[in-house]
Amino acid sequence: KATQGLANYIIEQGTQDKGVAISYDSRKMSKEFSTQTALILNANGIKTYLFESLRPVPELSFAVRELKCTAGVMITASHNPPKYNGYKVYWDDGAQIVSPRDKDIIAKVRAVQSFSEIKNITKEEAIEKGLFNLVGKEMDDKYIETLEKLVLRPEIVKEQGKNLKVVYTPLHGTGNTVAERLLKEIGIQNLYVVPEQKEPDGNFPTVDYPNPEDPKAFKLALELAKKVDADIVLATDPDADRLGVFAKDSATCEYKNYTGNMSALLIAEYRISQMKEKGLLPENGMLIKTVVSSNLADAIAKEYNLELIEVLTGFKNIGAVMRDAEEKGDRKYVFGFEESYGCLIGDYARDKDGIAAVMALCEAACYYKSKGETLWDQMNNIYEKYGYYKETQVSIVREGAEGAEEIKQMMTNTRNRDIEKIGDYKVLEFRDIDKDIQKNMITGEVVKTGLPKSNVLYYALEDEAWCCVRPSGTEPKIKLYMGVKGTSNEDADKKLNKLRDAMVKVVN
């Protein structure tokens, strides 16, 4: 139904001649579902380019643009537990679909009332008609070549790549279809791929669930890291759009865990500072983040004179800004990220790219190694330069229909209260994105948020602290996000713990 609805939409748009790129991950039935997707599109007269075997999401996004397709489909449930599978739809710019296109496509899917409406064709017939096409190594070559061109200090990677030790795990997913080759080609000579997790496996036998946001997913990678004395430990999720990181602290010899904000902004600071040094930073450059991402991004944007753009959660919203800038030609994309472990270092694709992030972190590690520093030293250098920005989140779970009602009520109650103080912090500004209201709590002035309608409440607090509340789109929970700026690690941790407790009280 999903594919027939998508086919009906494409035909209505009159773009069926452009074709659709299709990829899939290692999950149960992903290969079968991807072939089925291709054949249903073929039966509707739409040409498809199906990857010959599993490939990462970012390579699909790249392929949509490279092949000038009208759309792309990725069969994946991303970082969720093994029992799930899912269906991501991309449009011609290589970004996941956004409003109103997402709603229009879903309406077409829902309009498919009977399985008799779903067209079919044999694979042989589709091949004969030139509709069913396989893509593989030639697309890998183009994608890898594009990423390699984004390395800013290739000479340092070649020089230090002999000394840097990297442990990498694809967590039984798509990452290693390209990651190992890419890292070796740029000069990383001591690469250790976790053997138990190297091969794709939809049962994910060595982890509870394959999420690099969860430190437990790093158990085997950290054991290997200690054995080989690795400098950095990297993990991508099954569709390889997210990256998790541990880096060795030379002072204590411990492996330190990075949040999604930390790893993305370490990459941002490295790349933007090097671009500036090499005269590659555009005058009209933009750094894009989501509303629940770190305010450290604002400080970095200010330091390098980049426009800081804030969007709703979901990388598709970053993609939408990129599309707009590309069409108008008025701004240049420099970097974009979201706190949920995803970033994009160039404009060759329109989704977060864990493979490019792996490459960028290895490059950064080589650069700082040449200065006698580790990635953990550099993280502390960033805090010393800009301030100790720390973030956390809390999920309050409420199961079932009663729980859904309770979550709705919590949002309504919080929305309707005039909150002037949260913990030790004065509220400077309140944003109700659902109502498109942004209120200055000092002057009382009200303006529009300028963001698309979404059930999100945001509180800008004094001293660059902030809080945000939203219900989860996929799970029975209400999510609280918060961030502070401290004068030291200890100070930031203390402030963050107090703010978290205060915010939980606000919504309860």
Side-chain angles (χ1 to χ4, degrees):
K1 282 179 73 174
T3 306
Q4 186 59 54
L6 176 61
N8 293 345
Y9 179 81
I10 289 169
I11 290 162
E12 189 182 85
Q13 298 299 302
T15 57
Q16 61 270 35
D17 293 343
K18 289 179 163 186
V20 176
I22 304 165
S23 182
Y24 60 95
D25 71 3
S26 57
R27 287 176 181 273
K28 295 168 192 173
M29 300 294 289
S30 280
K31 187 180 173 81
E32 291 83 351
F33 290 150
S34 65
T35 305
Q36 188 71 63
T37 300
L39 291 173
I40 293 168
L41 289 166
N42 296 160
N44 284 274
I46 300 167
K47 187 183 274 197
T48 57
Y49 301 92
L50 173 65
F51 274 94
E52 62 190 7
S53 62
L54 75 172
R55 290 294 191 284
V57 146
E59 190 173 350
L60 172 78
S61 174
F62 174 79
V64 168
R65 294 173 65 79
E66 187 68 24
L67 296 165
K68 297 183 169 51
C69 291
T70 188
V73 174
M74 179 80 187
I75 306 293
T76 178
S78 190
H79 56 288
N80 286 293
K83 66 179 179 179
Y84 295 106
N85 213 331
Y87 192 103
K88 288 183 181 177
V89 177
Y90 293 75
W91 203 243
D92 58 5
D93 59 339
Q96 283 189 58
I97 50 171
V98 291
S99 185
R101 202 180 302 280
D102 53 0
K103 292 180 179 69
D104 294 344
I105 292 173
I106 280 293
K108 292 283 182 205
V109 174
R110 291 193 174 128
V112 178
Q113 293 296 310
S114 146
F115 284 106
S116 62
E117 294 172 51
I118 298 166
K119 296 182 180 175
N120 58 59
I121 191 173
T122 65
K123 192 170 172 181
E124 293 69 31
E125 196 185 339
I127 291 169
E128 204 176 294
K129 289 184 170 177
L131 293 166
F132 185 96
N133 303 277
L134 290 175
V135 287
K137 189 178 181 301
E138 72 284 2
M139 192 58 68
D140 298 344
D141 294 346
K142 284 179 183 173
Y143 172 62
I144 285 172
E145 188 188 332
T146 301
L147 293 190
E148 286 174 357
K149 283 180 184 159
L150 291 169
V151 175
L152 293 163
R153 298 285 183 191
E155 69 294 346
I156 289 175
V157 182
K158 286 269 187 280
E159 173 202 306
Q160 292 298 326
K162 301 185 188 86
N163 310 317
L164 187 76
K165 289 183 180 177
V166 180
V167 164
Y168 167 67
T169 173
L171 295 176
H172 304 289
T174 60
N176 211 42
T177 54
V178 283
E180 193 170 0
R181 176 185 157 190
L182 173 65
L183 292 182
K184 284 182 173 165
E185 283 186 15
I186 64 167
I188 304 299
Q189 293 184 20
N190 302 298
L191 175 64
Y192 305 86
V193 182
V194 177
E196 302 92 331
Q197 297 172 333
K198 189 173 183 174
E199 295 307 315
D201 187 337
N203 294 306
F204 306 108
T206 63
V207 284
D208 289 339
Y209 74 123
N211 187 355
E213 295 181 51
D214 181 4
K216 291 200 287 290
F218 278 85
K219 184 177 180 290
L220 292 173
L222 287 168
E223 284 170 11
L224 179 58
K226 283 167 189 158
K227 200 186 291 180
V228 302
D229 190 29
D231 297 286
I232 51 175
V233 189
L234 308 171
T236 49
D237 66 338
D239 60 346
D241 58 355
R242 291 168 192 245
L243 172 69
V245 180
F246 275 80
K248 191 176 181 186
D249 173 10
S250 49
T252 62
C253 290
E254 282 175 30
Y255 287 95
K256 301 282 195 176
N257 187 14
Y258 283 61
T259 65
N261 282 312
M262 289 163 70
S263 56
L265 291 167
L266 186 139
I267 292 170
E269 171 70 15
Y270 169 70
R271 288 191 60 81
I272 297 166
S273 64
Q274 294 305 307
M275 286 168 85
K276 184 183 178 185
E277 205 172 297
K278 296 183 85 175
L280 299 172
L281 207 56
E283 279 181 23
N284 53 353
M286 53 183 183
L287 194 165
I288 314 172
K289 71 166 195 173
T290 66
V291 290
V292 296
S293 299
S294 175
N295 280 355
L296 175 55
D298 306 49
I300 291 173
K302 190 178 174 190
E303 170 77 7
Y304 295 103
N305 201 24
L306 296 170
E307 183 185 357
L308 190 279
I309 295 172
E310 209 171 45
V311 297
L312 293 174
T313 51
F315 212 91
K316 61 186 181 180
N317 296 306
I318 294 175
V321 174
M322 292 174 76
R323 180 179 195 132
D324 184 61
E326 189 176 45
E327 284 170 356
K328 290 178 182 165
D330 59 345
R331 293 171 295 177
K332 289 269 188 293
Y333 176 82
V334 174
F335 189 80
F337 80 104
E338 53 184 1
E339 51 73 44
S340 56
Y341 292 68
C343 67
L344 180 66
I345 65 170
D347 66 357
Y348 59 91
R350 290 291 185 276
D351 208 346
K352 48 188 186 271
D353 187 347
I355 303 296
V358 161
M359 180 190 82
L361 265 171
C362 288
E363 180 190 349
C366 287
Y367 177 81
Y368 296 117
K369 201 172 186 67
S370 75
K371 307 270 184 215
E373 294 183 325
T374 65
L375 277 192
W376 190 250
D377 294 333
Q378 171 56 9
M379 199 68 235
N380 286 310
N381 293 342
I382 289 171
Y383 287 142
E384 279 298 312
K385 180 177 176 181
Y386 296 108
Y388 287 77
Y389 289 86
K390 290 277 178 88
E391 301 79 28
T392 192
Q393 58 168 283
V394 178
S395 291
I396 301 169
V397 179
R398 294 288 185 268
E399 301 276 2
E402 272 179 36
E405 196 48 51
E406 206 177 323
I407 287 169
K408 199 172 159 188
Q409 203 52 55
M410 286 161 97
M411 286 299 295
T412 302
N413 292 347
T414 309
R415 172 172 275 117
N416 293 338
R417 284 169 59 198
D418 228 0
I419 299 167
E420 291 177 3
K421 202 170 182 195
I422 300 174
D424 296 337
Y425 295 98
K426 258 190 210 160
V427 178
L428 302 180
E429 185 184 272
F430 167 62
R431 280 189 265 174
D432 183 337
I433 296 167
D434 200 45
K435 292 183 176 174
D436 199 18
I437 287 170
Q438 183 169 308
K439 183 180 179 184
N440 184 316
M441 300 299 283
I442 311 302
T443 65
E445 185 194 3
V446 177
V447 294
K448 289 185 181 301
T449 64
L451 291 166
K453 201 172 154 68
S454 184
N455 194 7
V456 176
L457 305 175
Y458 187 95
Y459 302 86
L461 311 175
E462 56 191 349
D463 298 335
E464 293 187 63
W466 60 277
C467 296
C468 183
V469 191
R470 72 180 183 96
S472 168
T474 53
E475 298 165 288
K477 57 174 74 161
I478 187 167
K479 297 178 91 166
L480 317 180
Y481 302 82
M482 63 245 18
V484 298
K485 181 185 179 185
T487 53
S488 66
N489 267 314
E490 297 72 27
D491 180 52
D493 287 339
K494 201 167 133 190
K495 283 176 173 169
L496 193 58
N497 289 335
K498 280 180 83 173
L499 182 57
R500 182 188 59 210
D501 295 346
M503 197 60 211
V504 169
K505 282 180 189 157
V506 165
V507 296
N508 277 320

